[in-house]
Amino acid sequence: MATWADVRRIALALPETTEAVSWEHAHWRVKDKGFVWERPLRRSDLEALGDAAPNGPILGARVEHLVAKEALLADDPGVFFTTPHFDGYPAVLVRLDEISMPDLEEVIVEAWLCRAPKRLAQAYLDEPR
């Protein structure tokens, strides 16, 4: 089970990432562009999801495009979901208590890569791991 501490550790390990709090919720940014954030469900989300609404912590994550979003949603609906609020927007919601640590890291890094400036992203990709 992933925690907010895991999200924080992974996100802040990425170059030029900052953490901020807005409306009492944490979010992480690269060069002032948000890539992952704490996203509790709102009343409208709960109404839209009905009995399928998860109870645990929810992470919002940017994705490269809507095709990537649809692929994640289809690949593992037990982890990834969306609400009408995000219709047409390249982002998914992630059940932190259901995602594996390797998948969490992949989601965060991919979100960072799609929001980071091209040169910064390429420099990160060129680093040996």
Side-chain angles (χ1 to χ4, degrees):
M1 171 178 9
T3 66
W4 290 116
D6 297 319
V7 172
R8 180 173 290 111
R9 175 183 49 77
I10 295 166
L12 291 176
L14 296 166
E16 301 192 38
T17 295
T18 58
E19 179 179 349
V21 175
S22 176
W23 299 95
E24 299 180 13
H25 303 299
H27 61 271
W28 293 268
R29 302 170 72 79
V30 57
K31 293 287 192 171
D32 290 327
K33 291 185 177 182
F35 62 98
V36 291
W37 60 95
E38 185 178 358
R39 179 49 164 81
L41 297 178
R42 300 173 181 164
R43 185 179 50 166
S44 61
D45 300 327
L46 295 170
E47 290 171 0
L49 293 170
D51 292 339
N55 292 324
I58 305 298
L59 175 74
R62 283 294 297 253
V63 295
E64 187 176 6
H65 43 63
L66 294 177
V67 173
K69 174 182 180 172
E70 293 304 320
L72 284 172
L73 295 172
D75 182 52
D76 197 345
V79 172
F80 302 103
F81 71 104
T82 190
T83 66
H85 177 80
F86 291 100
D87 286 352
Y89 187 73
V92 294
L93 298 174
V94 181
R95 293 174 176 93
L96 273 188
D97 54 2
E98 298 294 330
I99 194 168
S100 69
M101 288 305 295
D103 287 346
L104 176 65
E105 185 166 1
E106 182 177 353
V107 165
I108 293 172
V109 170
E110 289 297 321
W112 182 89
L113 286 169
C114 74
R115 299 295 282 167
K118 291 184 190 298
R119 287 185 182 159
L120 182 60
Q122 191 60 54
Y124 174 81
L125 291 171
D126 291 343
E127 290 176 6
R129 305 222 188 285

